[in-house]
Amino acid sequence: MFRSVNVVSGETLYERAAQPWPLFARDLTGLREQQQHFAALPVTGRTALLSAFADRLAAGRNRLAHMVCEEVGRCLRECEAELDKSVELIRYYARLAPELLAHKTIATQASLSQVCFEPLGVVLAVMPWNYPVWQVLRFAVPALCAGNACVVKPAPSVARVTAALFDLAGTELPFQAAWLDHEATLQAVAHCDAMAFTGSTDTGRHLAAHAGAHLKKTVLELGGSNAFIVMPDADLQQAATDACYSRFRDAGQSCNAAKRIIITDAVADRFLPLFLAECAKLKTGHPLDASTTLAPLHREDLRLRVHAQVEDALANGATALCGGVLPEGRGWFYPATVLDNVTPACRVYREEVFGPVAVLLRARDAAHAVALANDNPFGLGASIYSADEVQAWKYARQLTTGAVFINRHTSSDLRLPFGGVKASGYGRELSEFGLYEFVNVKSYWQK
């Protein structure tokens, strides 16, 4: 069952049954036929259809943002930002795709030799709940530009937003939702031509193994436990402000947030009061309230999982500098929590914490800070705060991550590739590199 619930009131907003496999198989046949016609259009014809979708999405921005706010629980302004970035994403690729997908002539002994970018066919996406518009479009828009069809299996708890998004997409694009249960999703992986997945590492391993058995191309954007490194010469106030924002935005439910705050001993006593002062400014409240800066978590089981990680840390010697108490009352709220004295004995040292909990790790010096950052299964992103940019770049090259930000918190930029290494997955989204993930890079040679 796909069911959307208001995260504060508990009211059911929308529900629908899972789609039987025979019905999906029929839709998949029709989608394949549509994809052939769509791929035959010039790139500018495809991008014109996407630009029209961007206009419809912009017109529906406020309505969809409210839906995301109610179903996911994030602050309304954060949901509005998600919609704005999604519209910008479509327009970005609509501008650049004709150039990026143009045939490239390569000089060889042939009279003509070229490299062309051709679609793979139908790409299945299995998507999460936390950014139900952005993450769907982050995968789909470049894949559609290349001439693929896209079919999206959404998270069950954001069904209403998903239905509204595909209503706006219309029928001219080969772009459909797949209301599949778990077993039918595995069947769909086998019957589609490639797969994109965003979600947990464990589920990503399971789906990728199944896709691999059928030799399907995959891109996995999995969890993250981003290090936020504060070097001895850092601007401590700026670092404290940015660390608080990055860790607690979206109620901490972002793979790309700062999760492990690594502070060198030389500045720990000065940084911590500044960081805690920023945390104290956070205001818990209803996500539709403009003054709220810390909204509830998405589901009760997710809140309990976060609290269990906090309790484990406390039982293994960590201390809570703030928060750490499960609140009573309606809504799945959790306080901003800062854990100090965290050691490898604590689960939070190695696990991703998907909620408003900052893990503090203390480093002897800069080299130890980099070692602590790398001592983790994940490798999505990291930040380094330092006044010495030359040294910061040196340490950045030593970090095993998909991205490093210097004197800024981690984020995504349409113009730069997004993705990770290790348990954070493989493949890239965004920029031209994301566009080339779901194409057949095909060589032509003419005597």
Side-chain angles (χ1 to χ4, degrees), residues 108-133:
T108 69
Q109 71 271 33
S111 63
L112 176 65
S113 47
Q114 288 187 328
V115 172
C116 300
F117 306 101
E118 299 180 359
L120 296 180
V122 178
V123 185
L124 170 70
V126 181
M127 292 285 103
W129 50 263
N130 54 335
Y131 300 100
V133 175

Side-chain angles (χ1 to χ4, degrees), residues 351-384:
E351 295 180 357
E352 178 179 25
V353 185
F354 215 64
V357 177
V359 173
L360 297 179
L361 301 176
R362 295 175 181 250
R364 295 184 300 274
D365 52 30
H368 186 215
V370 172
L372 286 173
N374 284 331
D375 188 23
N376 191 268
F378 298 98
L380 187 57
S383 295
I384 299 175

Side-chain angles (χ1 to χ4, degrees), residues 7-8 69 72-75 129 250-253 284-288 292 294-299 303 330-334 356:
V7 297
V8 176
C69 181
V72 175
R74 294 178 11 242
C75 293
W129 50 263
D250 303 320
Q253 299 173 119
T284 299
H286 197 290
L288 287 172
T292 296
L294 186 60
L297 298 188
H298 180 54
R299 298 194 311 263
R303 182 174 73 157
R330 176 175 289 179
W332 301 308
F333 293 94
Y334 199 79

Side-chain angles (χ1 to χ4, degrees), residues 68-98:
V68 176
C69 181
E70 291 177 338
E71 292 176 50
V72 175
R74 294 178 11 242
C75 293
L76 179 59
R77 65 181 170 279
E78 295 169 339
C79 302
E80 291 169 341
E82 176 185 354
L83 267 295
D84 292 340
K85 192 171 184 179
S86 298
V87 171
E88 184 185 359
L89 170 78
I90 302 173
R91 292 174 174 161
Y92 166 82
Y93 275 114
R95 290 193 306 271
L96 292 185

Side-chain angles (χ1 to χ4, degrees), residues 81-419:
E82 176 185 354
L83 267 295
D84 292 340
K85 192 171 184 179
S86 298
V87 171
E88 184 185 359
L89 170 78
I90 302 173
R91 292 174 174 161
Y92 166 82
Y93 275 114
R95 290 193 306 271
L96 292 185
E99 175 187 350
L100 296 176
L101 292 170
H103 298 175
K104 299 187 184 301
T105 299
I106 309 294
T108 69
Q109 71 271 33
S111 63
L112 176 65
S113 47
Q114 288 187 328
V115 172
C116 300
F117 306 101
E118 299 180 359
L120 296 180
V122 178
V123 185
L124 170 70
V126 181
M127 292 285 103
W129 50 263
N130 54 335
Y131 300 100
V133 175
W134 164 252
Q135 283 171 317
V136 168
L137 296 181
R138 188 177 70 190
F139 131 79
V141 171
L144 289 165
C145 284
N148 294 289
C150 296
V151 59
V152 178
K153 190 271 179 189
S157 57
V158 289
R160 184 181 63 151
V161 171
T162 302
L165 174 64
F166 280 92
D167 283 346
L168 287 172
T171 59
E172 290 187 305
L173 294 167
F175 184 37
Q176 296 180 11
W179 307 97
L180 300 172
D181 62 19
H182 175 69
E183 290 302 319
T185 300
L186 292 178
Q187 285 184 273
V189 171
H191 284 79
C192 292
D193 301 299
M195 182 193 74
F197 172 74
T198 299
S200 73
T201 300
D202 287 344
T203 303
R205 284 193 181 102
H206 179 62
L207 289 174
H210 186 72
H214 294 276
L215 297 179
K216 306 297 184 180
K217 169 71 184 289
T218 55
V219 170
L220 305 181
E221 199 276 282
L222 308 179
S225 190
N226 291 3
F228 186 103
I229 302 171
V230 183
M231 294 298 192
D233 59 351
D235 180 334
L236 297 184
Q237 182 57 66
Q238 187 64 57
T241 301
D242 289 1
C244 180
Y245 171 78
S246 181
R247 171 64 287 207
F248 298 111
R249 67 183 175 90
D250 303 320
Q253 299 173 119
S254 170
C255 61
N256 203 29
K259 297 192 172 87
R260 296 175 297 137
I261 316 299
I262 301 175
I263 46 178
T264 47
D265 287 338
V267 294
D269 289 343
R270 287 183 289 145
F271 173 80
L272 277 178
L274 297 173
F275 180 57
L276 292 173
E278 292 298 318
C279 296
K281 297 176 185 176
L282 296 168
K283 181 182 177 183
T284 299
H286 197 290
L288 287 172
D289 187 334
S291 66
T292 296
T293 52
L294 186 60
L297 298 188
H298 180 54
R299 298 194 311 263
E300 174 67 356
D301 63 304
L302 300 175
R303 182 174 73 157
L304 293 175
R305 183 184 303 171
V306 168
H307 189 57
Q309 290 173 304
V310 170
E311 288 188 314
D312 170 83
L314 298 176
N316 282 285
T319 54
L321 301 183
C322 62
V325 178
L326 195 64
E328 298 179 354
R330 176 175 289 179
W332 301 308
F333 293 94
Y334 199 79
T337 299
V338 178
L339 297 176
D340 197 4
N341 301 313
V342 171
T343 70
C346 306
R347 287 170 50 196
V348 298
Y349 183 88
R350 61 188 180 277
E351 295 180 357
E352 178 179 25
V353 185
F354 215 64
V357 177
V359 173
L360 297 179
L361 301 176
R362 295 175 181 250
R364 295 184 300 274
D365 52 30
H368 186 215
V370 172
L372 286 173
N374 284 331
D375 188 23
N376 191 268
F378 298 98
L380 187 57
S383 295
I384 299 175
Y385 279 70
S386 171
D388 188 337
E389 294 179 354
V390 173
Q391 281 295 100
W393 275 86
K394 170 188 169 184
Y395 290 122
R397 286 190 289 271
Q398 298 174 22
L399 291 170
T400 311
T401 61
V404 180
F405 285 69
I406 296 173
N407 293 323
R408 192 185 190 280
H409 59 83
T410 47
S411 61
S412 63
D413 188 303
L414 306 178
R415 300 158 293 186
L416 295 173
F418 179 76

